[in-house]
Amino acid sequence: MGRAQGDRPPYGLDTFNCPTYRGQTGWMADQYAQSREDNRPTEIPAIRWDEPPEGPVLVLLDQTRLPAEEVELVCTDAPALVAAIRSLAVRGAPLLGIAGAYGVALAAARGFDVDEAAVALAQARPTAVNLAVGVRRAREAYRAELARGGDRDRAAIAALVAARALHREDAEASARMAVHGLALLDELLPGGGHRVLTHCNTGSLVSGGEGTAFAVALAAHRAGRLRRLWVDETRPLLQGARLTAYEAARSGMAYTLLTDNAAGSLFAAGEVDAVLIGADRIAADGSVANKVGSYPLAVLARYHHVPFIVVAPVTTVDPDTPDGASIEVEQRAGHEVTEIAAPQVPVAGVEAGGGIPVAPLGTQAYNPAFDVTPPELVTAIVTEAGVVSPVTAEALAELCDRSRQVTI
C-alpha cells in the first residue's frame, strides 16, 4: 500500500479500536444510514475547455452559487480566471492546478502574453501549491514548443495538451487515492461502519475526478462501510454546508451537518472514528496547510485517539517549502467574518453581492484562509502513490521520489 517503513503508525493501531461510547447522537448516526444507487454529484463538470465560434473559452461551474443553483461561468482570458479563482468560483487545490494550466493555454490560444498570464495566475491563491504547478507545466510545454522552432499556434496547442493531460492525470490520481484511503480506513478500523468527520470540501468540485478526502468517504459508502459522514459547515465561507453537503446528498450518502465548534462534542461522545481532510500545501517535513479549522480537528483527534488522515495528490507536496512555518497563509477580507453571505441569488432586502452584517460597523476581523497542522498530529498522508505513516520528511521524500520515477 506504499506505507513508509516502520512497525506501526505513530499512535498504534490498537488505540483506534477502543470501545465506543454511544451518547445521545448514537441513534441519529444510524437513523438514515443506507445505501442506494450513486449519482454524480453534479451533471455539470467543475471545469471544461470549450471552443465556440467566437474563440476558445474556459467554462467553470460557479461554486459561489451552489447549492442554490448550478450556473456556469465563462472565462475568455486569464484576468477573468484570476478573478474567478480569487472569488472562489473555482477552488480546491487539485482543480486550481488544472485551472492554472488551462488558463495558460487560454492566454496562448487567444494571443495574450503567456508569461504575464502565468505570473498573474500563479499568484492568485498563494497557499495552494497546485495552482503554481499547473501554471508551470503548461507554460513549460508552451516554451518547449517555441524552442523546437514551432510557431505560437503550435505552442498554444502544446499548452492545451499539457492542461488536458494534467486534467486526466488528476482524475486517475483521485481514483487511486480512494483505493489507498479505503484500504487504510479498513486497516485502522476493521469491521466497517465508519463514522468519518470531514472539513471544507474535497469532492468532485475540487478535482478532475471524484476528489481527495471525499473520494475516500465515497468509496467507503459504495462499499457499504460508511455509516455516517459528519460535515463541518466550515466557517466563514461554508464550503462544507454549501458544497460537501450538496455532494453528499447527490451521492446518496448518510451525512449530518454540524457547526465547526460542535466537533468537540462529537469526539467526546465517541461518535467520530476518523477525520479525513484534504490539503492545499504539504511542506517537506509533512506539515499540512488546509482550510482554517483543520488544526483544531487534529488536536481533538489526537486527544481522543482518532486517526487524522490527509488525502492529497503528490503535486500538493512542495519540497521547496521546508516546514509549516514557511507556508504563506492567505489572509482573506474581513467582511467574510463580519457578514453572512448567502449564495448569490436574490434575497429580499439584501443588496446583490452583499452580505448580512453580524458585527458592529468597523469591527476588525482575523480571517486566515488556512491553518497548518504539524506532522506529529497527522496519522497518515494518502496520495495516489501510496500512504505515508508515520509522517516524516524522509518518508515523504521517498514517496515523492518513487512517484516521479513512475511518471518518468
Side-chain angles (χ1 to χ4, degrees):
M1 189 170 58
R3 182 183 302 283
Q5 290 185 350
D7 293 334
R8 61 195 308 170
Y11 313 131
L13 295 180
D14 54 316
T15 63
F16 297 130
N17 299 299
C18 54
T20 299
Y21 165 70
R22 297 192 58 78
Q24 62 180 351
T25 58
W27 173 82
M28 179 180 66
D30 292 327
Q31 182 183 14
Y32 297 112
Q34 57 184 330
S35 295
R36 72 188 207 204
E37 185 178 353
D38 293 303
N39 302 302
R40 285 287 296 172
T42 174
E43 296 300 321
I44 301 176
I47 190 168
R48 64 185 175 90
W49 178 271
D50 197 12
E51 296 186 0
E54 58 271 21
V57 294
L58 187 60
V59 185
L60 312 170
L61 175 61
D62 187 348
Q63 297 187 34
T64 66
R65 303 178 76 119
L66 293 172
E69 55 184 358
E70 295 180 356
V71 176
E72 290 190 315
L73 180 65
V74 178
C75 298
T76 59
D77 56 25
L81 180 56
V82 167
I85 291 170
R86 287 178 174 162
S87 71
L88 303 184
V90 58
R91 44 158 294 281
L95 193 66
L96 286 177
I98 296 167
Y102 276 128
V104 171
L106 183 63
R110 284 188 167 262
F112 295 111
D113 188 311
V114 169
D115 288 333
E116 181 180 315
V119 170
L121 286 164
Q123 294 177 347
R125 297 289 306 276
T127 307
V129 67
N130 297 67
L131 177 57
V133 169
V135 167
R136 182 169 61 249
R137 181 161 165 177
R139 182 168 58 176
E140 287 177 352
Y142 178 84
R143 288 175 171 176
E145 182 59 36
L146 290 179
R148 285 193 292 266
D151 59 21
R152 293 187 182 277
D153 289 340
R154 292 183 64 85
I157 292 172
L160 179 58
V161 168
R164 284 176 166 159
L166 180 61
H167 198 163
R168 181 181 64 255
E169 290 164 14
D170 186 71
E172 295 167 353
S174 174
R176 290 196 296 272
M177 284 186 282
V179 171
H180 292 314
L182 180 57
L184 178 64
L185 278 182
D186 289 343
E187 178 184 343
L188 298 177
L189 306 164
H194 308 319
R195 296 164 301 173
V196 172
L197 175 64
T198 192
H199 191 68
C200 199
N201 173 251
T202 58
S204 64
L205 294 172
V206 307
S207 169
E210 291 184 319
T212 56
F214 186 88
V216 176
L218 186 58
H221 164 68
R222 288 172 174 160
R225 297 201 284 277
L226 181 72
R227 191 161 108 212
R228 175 67 40 178
L229 182 67
W230 298 110
V231 179
D232 269 358
E233 64 179 353
T234 316
R235 294 289 180 110
L237 294 175
L238 304 178
Q239 289 100 322
R242 293 191 304 105
L243 305 178
T244 300
Y246 164 83
E247 292 191 301
R250 299 195 63 158
S251 296
M253 301 167 76
Y255 75 97
T256 300
L257 180 67
L258 64 145
T259 61
D260 293 358
N261 56 3
S265 65
L266 271 186
F267 280 97
E271 293 289 348
V272 181
D273 297 316
V275 179
L276 286 175
I277 67 165
D280 287 84
R281 185 184 297 251
I282 300 174
D285 71 339
S287 296
V288 175
N290 192 54
K291 178 66 180 177
V292 66
S294 300
Y295 172 60
L297 292 179
V299 175
L300 282 167
R302 180 62 175 266
Y303 180 80
H304 291 280
H305 309 292
V306 169
F308 182 87
I309 301 167
V310 176
V311 186
V314 172
T315 51
T316 303
V317 180
D318 182 12
D320 295 328
T321 299
D323 50 38
S326 304
I327 297 176
E328 180 182 355
V329 174
E330 173 190 345
Q331 298 291 324
R332 294 191 60 83
H335 70 78
E336 293 175 348
V337 176
T338 61
E339 299 175 0
I340 293 178
Q344 295 180 1
V345 293
V347 178
V350 178
E351 181 181 352
I356 301 170
V358 294
L361 185 65
T363 297
Q364 293 187 349
Y366 174 62
N367 188 22
F370 308 96
D371 56 25
V372 179
T373 299
E376 58 266 26
L377 295 183
V378 179
T379 306
I381 294 176
V382 177
T383 76
E384 72 273 28
V387 177
V388 172
S389 180
V391 178
T392 65
E394 294 74 20
L396 198 56
E398 180 184 345
L399 179 136
C400 291
D401 289 342
R402 188 166 64 246
S403 173
R404 281 192 290 268
Q405 290 169 6
V406 170
T407 302
I408 294 171

